[in-house]
């Protein structure tokens, strides 16, 4: 019965207690400090015990008001009911505010003696001193505690303080010592270092951390130091150097083949196939064919070969097919077959072979991707009606999801290419709210193109049909033909509303041809068009990236800032914000 009664009392008391403290905090935030103090004082008088929120809330108000006498009494009233080392840090701060340097020195000596006798006390004292920005005093106490007992926590706190003081050399030494004493702090330190280290190899913190870790590794190799160094090199996109650290860990049995595969994938994604090849050579040599990661390594090898200059050959496709057949069924085998199909469509233009392979894969697998690829082969082969039928059947069978959205968009594209603009418009309207941001954005642009440029009196829609023919060549990888048609049409359509769409398409084709630097005047032209703002976001982003790579970083930031401000929900918003951040942190042009 007593327990039940105690429970009832607690359930009644706890909400009241929480409500009082929330009300006091709200008063303090709104500037009604007297009301907040009254609630804090009442709470302490009634309960007569320490509560951190009550104690720190009232003390902060007393100090802000300059009522040092009341602040001192508040500290001593709590000292009478609880023994907290951190109260000395508050006494020290109060003495400094009063200008009583002698008292402050005595309190500091007392704190130092306390941590020398009991090093465990240093945590609370350092926390309070750091809050008051007494960083030198906090370091003094940490040194006193370390003289008695060296712990990773002490060196971790020293690293934090050196970071706040802007002393990267001492910061690096402290964190390295932390990891030497306890490698379990690795992820915590890595997270903290993300605030200071960038992808710029010449960043002061990057350079000093690398020098410190390399020097220490020569003296006494530690796995955690190798991990940090590998992480720094990966951030800087120096994948060869990152691989050297990871290989050293792997040779000690401290890194898995999956990590080597991850690093090779990052090198490929960042456009460094040479480093990816070195990593894959080592990984394939040391990975067991019976492990699942081996199939991923085979896919990465295939992907590497697909970006190399000699990859456009029939022999290579034959090798890939043999490789895929030898792999166990699963997602990595599917990705190899996907690369083969893309190669057949975009480079070999062997649409019949692509259709046969996709049809064979669709018959023995439930993966709807193969049916989509079969329809793609029809679309690439200039058979839009047949492709539209396949896409429609696929969409009806998969019942939603990313593939269904893609199939619907491609059905609209097939109708657009065939000149059935009304049907394409009806399909595209339903895609504007697609969960896939890229599909939604592409659907919006294509639908705008159709709606904005249909001419009621022109039943044949000659201009739009001419543009659809050019876009068909662009979409199906016939870039040279598309570029030639665009330049012919620009002379005849220079007064047409479709002229800016041709300019946009020309810019995309130049990027595909590897001549990105030549697109600047085209994006500026699109930015200047008053009649059509559909390409403004893309133009701002592209101009920002161009200036960041080849021009003036200040102008690049101006373009990106305009995009971030004007298009907070835009398709390029996240990329623009990331590019702006990298420009702000780096002294060099973007890669």
């Amino acid at each position: 019965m007593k327990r039940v009664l105690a429970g009832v009392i607690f359930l009644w008391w706890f909400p009241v207690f929480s409500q009082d403290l929330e009300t006091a905090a709200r008063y303090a935030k709104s500037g009604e400090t007297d009301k907040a103090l009254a609630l804090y004082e009442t709470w302490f008088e009634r309960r007569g015990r320490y509560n951190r929120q009550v104690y720190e809330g009232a003390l902060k108000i007393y100090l802000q008001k300059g009522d040092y006498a009341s602040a001192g009494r508040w500290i001593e009233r709590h000292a009478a009911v609880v023994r907290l080392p951190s109260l000395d840090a508050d006494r020290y701060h109060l003495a400094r505010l009063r200008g009583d340097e002698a008292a402050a020195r005595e309190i500091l000596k007392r704190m130092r003696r306390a941590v020398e006798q009991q090093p465990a006390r240093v945590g609370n004292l350092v926390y309070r001193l750091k809050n008051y920005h007494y960083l030198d005093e906090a370091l003094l106490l940490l040194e006193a505690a370390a003289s008695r007992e060296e712990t990773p926590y002490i060196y971790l706190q020293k690293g934090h303080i050196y970071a706040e003081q802007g002393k990267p050399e001492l910061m690096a030494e402290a964190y390295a010592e932390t990891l030497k004493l306890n490698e379990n702090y690795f992820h915590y330190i890595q997270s903290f270092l993300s605030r200071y280290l960038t992808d710029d190899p010449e960043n002061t913190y990057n350079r000093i951390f690398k020098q410190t870790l390399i020097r220490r590794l020569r003296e006494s190799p530690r796995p955690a130091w190798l991990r940090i160094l590998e992480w720094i090199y990966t951030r800087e996109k120096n994948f060869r150097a990152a691989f050297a650290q990871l290989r050293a860990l792997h040779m000690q049995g401290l890194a898995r083949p999956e990590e080597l595969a991850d690093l090779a994938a990052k090198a490929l994604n960042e456009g460094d196939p040479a480093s990816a090849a070195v990593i894959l050579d080592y990984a394939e040599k040391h990975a067991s064919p019976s492990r699942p990661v081996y199939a991923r390594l085979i896919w990465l090898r295939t992907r590497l070969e697909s970006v190399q200059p000699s990859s456009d050959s029939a022999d290579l496709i034959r090798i890939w097919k043999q490789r895929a057949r030898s792999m166990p069924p699963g997602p990595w085998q599917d990705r190899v077959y996907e690369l083969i199909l893309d190669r057949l469509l975009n480079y070999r233009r062997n649409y019949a072979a692509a259709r046969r392979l996709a049809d064979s894969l669709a018959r023995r697998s439930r993966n709807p991707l193969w049916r989509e690829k079969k329809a793609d082969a029809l679309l690439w082969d200039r058979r839009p009606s047949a492709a539209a039928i396949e896409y429609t059947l696929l969409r009806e069978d998969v019942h939603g999801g990313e593939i269904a959205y893609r199939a619907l968009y491609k059905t609209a594209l097939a109708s657009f290419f065939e000149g059935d603009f009304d049907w394409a418009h009806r399909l595209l309207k339903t895609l504007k709210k697609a969960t896939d941001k890229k599909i939604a954005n592409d659907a919006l642009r294509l639908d705008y193109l159709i709606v904005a440029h249909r001419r009621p009196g022109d039943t044949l829609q000659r201009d739009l049909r001419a543009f659809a023919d050019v876009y068909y060549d662009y979409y199906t990888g016939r870039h040279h033909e598309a570029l030639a048609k665009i330049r012919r049409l620009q002379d005849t359509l220079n007064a047409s509303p479709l002229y800016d769409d041709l300019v946009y398409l020309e810019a995309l084709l130049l990027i595909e041809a590897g001549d990105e630097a030549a697109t600047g005047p085209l994006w500026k032209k699109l930015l200047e068009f008053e009649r059509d703002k559909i390409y403004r976001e893309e133009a701002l982003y592209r101009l920002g990236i161009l200036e960041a790579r080849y021009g003036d970083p200040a102008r690049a930031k101006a373009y990106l800032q305009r995009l971030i401000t004007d298009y907070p929900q835009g398709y390029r918003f996240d990329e623009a914000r990331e590019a702006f951040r990298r420009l702000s942190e780096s002294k060099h042009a973007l890669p």
Side-chain angles (χ1 to χ4, degrees):
M1 185 64 185
K2 289 181 180 179
R3 289 182 181 178
V4 173
L5 184 61
V8 171
I9 292 171
F10 175 79
L11 290 172
W12 167 81
W13 167 81
F14 185 76
V16 175
F17 158 74
S18 301
Q19 187 176 4
D20 285 348
L21 295 188
E22 288 173 8
T23 304
R26 195 160 53 249
Y27 281 145
K29 189 175 181 180
S30 65
E32 298 178 85
T33 53
D34 291 337
K35 292 181 179 179
L37 278 174
L39 284 173
Y40 287 137
E41 289 277 4
T42 302
W43 192 97
F44 183 70
E45 286 171 5
R46 287 180 179 174
R47 291 162 182 83
R49 60 184 180 80
Y50 173 81
N51 175 274
R52 179 177 169 181
Q53 187 176 346
V54 171
Y55 171 73
E56 292 183 4
L59 181 62
K60 183 179 179 181
I61 293 172
Y62 283 132
L63 294 176
Q64 286 174 344
K65 290 165 71 79
D67 189 352
Y68 301 144
S70 296
R73 287 193 296 272
W74 183 249
I75 293 170
E76 298 311 321
R77 286 167 67 189
H78 280 78
V81 299
V82 65
R83 294 183 63 185
L84 273 180
S86 60
L87 295 181
D88 270 340
D90 297 326
R91 291 187 180 107
Y92 178 79
H93 180 52
L94 188 58
R96 291 290 299 270
L97 289 175
R98 286 171 167 167
D100 191 347
E101 296 299 327
R105 283 194 296 272
E106 286 301 317
I107 296 168
L108 186 59
K109 288 179 184 177
R110 187 165 70 232
M111 288 191 289
R112 184 171 181 175
R113 285 194 300 270
V115 298
E116 285 173 347
Q117 293 168 5
Q118 291 182 290
R121 291 184 172 184
V122 75
N124 287 331
L125 286 167
V126 166
Y127 173 77
R128 293 297 288 169
L129 288 171
K130 281 171 64 180
N131 283 351
Y132 292 130
H133 302 290
Y134 296 124
L135 301 182
D136 290 332
E137 289 83 345
L139 279 171
L140 185 67
L141 297 187
L142 288 167
E143 293 289 354
S147 67
R148 178 73 181 274
E149 179 186 5
E150 288 190 342
T151 65
Y153 175 80
I154 289 173
Y155 283 101
L156 181 71
Q157 292 303 319
K158 287 172 73 174
H160 290 349
I161 292 171
Y162 289 135
E164 288 189 49
Q165 291 179 329
K167 298 177 179 178
E169 294 90 350
L170 295 173
M171 173 186 173
E173 293 288 349
Y175 284 141
E177 196 65 25
T178 304
L179 291 171
K180 178 182 175 182
L181 295 172
N182 190 336
E183 295 188 356
N184 291 328
Y185 280 91
F186 171 80
H187 291 294
Y188 181 79
I189 290 175
Q190 183 187 46
S191 173
F192 190 82
L193 287 179
S194 298
R195 308 175 195 175
Y196 296 91
L197 304 184
T198 69
D199 55 6
D200 180 8
E202 297 305 315
N203 175 286
T204 301
Y205 286 92
N206 288 48
R207 184 169 44 79
I208 288 172
F209 259 86
K210 287 184 291 187
Q211 291 171 353
T212 301
L213 291 170
I214 290 169
R215 174 174 50 77
R216 281 184 166 248
L217 281 166
R218 288 183 186 138
E219 298 167 0
S220 172
R222 299 275 175 172
W225 295 345
L226 288 168
R227 287 280 180 196
I228 287 286
L229 203 52
E230 184 249 332
W231 172 68
I232 294 172
Y233 282 130
T234 302
R235 280 175 67 96
E236 295 174 353
K237 299 180 178 57
N238 186 348
F239 297 106
R240 292 285 183 99
F243 169 59
Q245 318 312 313
L246 196 56
R247 180 177 57 195
L249 288 165
H250 184 264
M251 292 172 70
Q252 299 174 50
L254 299 173
R256 298 173 294 113
E258 288 80 2
E259 295 175 78
L260 292 165
D262 288 341
L263 189 61
K266 287 176 184 174
L268 271 175
N269 291 338
E270 294 296 337
D272 188 359
S275 296
V278 173
I279 300 165
L280 285 173
D281 288 342
Y282 178 85
E284 289 173 356
K285 183 179 177 181
H286 292 86
S288 169
S290 62
R291 294 189 60 174
V293 70
Y294 197 77
R296 185 185 178 197
L297 293 173
I298 292 175
W299 171 70
L300 287 169
R301 172 66 66 183
T302 309
R303 188 177 160 205
L304 173 66
E305 291 167 350
S306 74
V307 300
Q308 291 175 335
S310 61
S311 60
D312 187 19
S313 68
D315 288 341
L316 194 57
I317 291 176
R318 179 177 51 78
I319 292 168
W320 289 356
K321 286 181 177 179
Q322 291 174 352
R323 189 180 290 169
R325 292 188 195 105
S326 69
M327 294 172 70
W332 303 117
Q333 185 195 52
D334 288 350
R335 292 191 183 192
V336 173
Y337 275 123
E338 191 175 354
L339 278 174
I340 294 169
L341 287 166
D342 288 341
R343 184 64 46 174
L344 287 169
L345 289 174
N346 294 310
Y347 291 87
R348 303 297 301 172
R349 296 190 183 177
N350 191 338
Y351 308 122
R355 195 164 61 251
R356 285 195 302 271
L357 177 58
D359 192 46
S360 172
L361 291 168
R363 282 199 303 270
R364 65 172 187 252
S365 169
R366 292 186 176 183
N367 189 343
L369 175 66
W370 309 131
R371 293 177 60 189
E372 182 186 3
K373 291 295 182 183
K374 180 182 175 182
D376 288 346
L378 291 167
L379 187 62
W380 260 248
D381 199 19
R382 290 194 173 275
R383 296 169 61 186
S385 297
I389 293 170
E390 292 291 339
Y391 288 133
T392 302
L393 292 172
L394 171 62
R395 184 163 49 89
E396 290 173 354
D397 289 343
V398 295
H399 302 295
E402 184 182 345
I403 285 186
Y405 279 124
R406 283 206 309 267
L408 182 58
Y409 176 68
K410 289 177 180 180
T411 307
L413 265 179
S415 301
F416 176 72
F417 293 148
E418 205 170 22
D420 192 350
F421 304 124
D422 289 332
W423 183 241
H425 167 62
R426 291 180 192 175
L427 295 175
L428 290 167
K429 280 199 302 184
T430 63
L431 281 169
K432 292 177 186 178
K433 295 182 180 179
T435 53
D436 187 305
K437 208 171 183 180
K438 184 179 185 308
I439 290 177
N441 191 68
D442 289 346
L444 179 66
R445 284 181 178 172
L446 187 59
D447 192 44
Y448 177 85
L449 184 75
I450 294 169
V451 172
H453 303 311
R454 281 188 302 186
R455 295 182 180 179
D458 184 3
T459 55
L460 296 178
Q461 302 293 324
R462 290 184 180 86
D463 291 352
L464 200 51
R465 284 176 181 275
F467 181 83
D469 182 56
V470 174
Y471 194 75
Y472 205 159
D473 285 337
Y474 163 73
Y475 185 80
T476 56
R478 299 174 174 90
H479 294 161
H480 291 296
E481 297 93 322
L483 200 55
K485 288 179 181 178
I486 282 174
R487 285 169 179 166
R488 285 198 303 271
L489 283 172
Q490 281 176 340
D491 294 333
T492 58
L493 298 180
N494 58 353
S496 168
L498 281 163
Y499 183 76
D500 48 359
D501 303 291
L502 290 170
V503 171
Y504 173 72
L505 205 53
E506 182 182 5
L508 294 184
L509 285 164
L510 288 173
I511 291 171
E512 294 283 352
D515 197 6
E516 182 187 40
T519 63
L522 300 175
W523 296 118
K524 287 179 181 177
K525 192 181 291 186
L526 284 171
L527 206 57
E528 292 166 3
F529 277 133
E530 291 297 328
R531 63 172 178 253
D532 195 348
K533 296 296 183 183
I534 190 69
Y535 301 120
R536 186 172 180 272
E537 179 187 357
E538 186 72 13
L540 286 170
Y541 174 75
R542 295 289 185 176
L543 285 168
I545 296 300
L546 281 172
E547 290 289 354
R549 288 176 178 162
Y550 311 111
D552 181 2
R555 283 201 300 269
K557 289 173 71 175
Y559 282 125
L560 294 170
Q561 185 62 61
R562 284 168 67 186
L563 190 156
I564 292 166
T565 303
D566 296 348
Y567 300 95
Q569 303 296 324
Y571 172 63
R572 290 291 191 181
F573 176 80
D574 292 336
E575 294 168 279
R577 188 170 58 177
E578 176 63 17
F580 187 89
R581 181 193 65 78
R582 290 172 64 188
L583 275 171
S584 300
E585 292 177 352
S586 177
K587 298 176 184 177
H588 306 281
L590 292 183

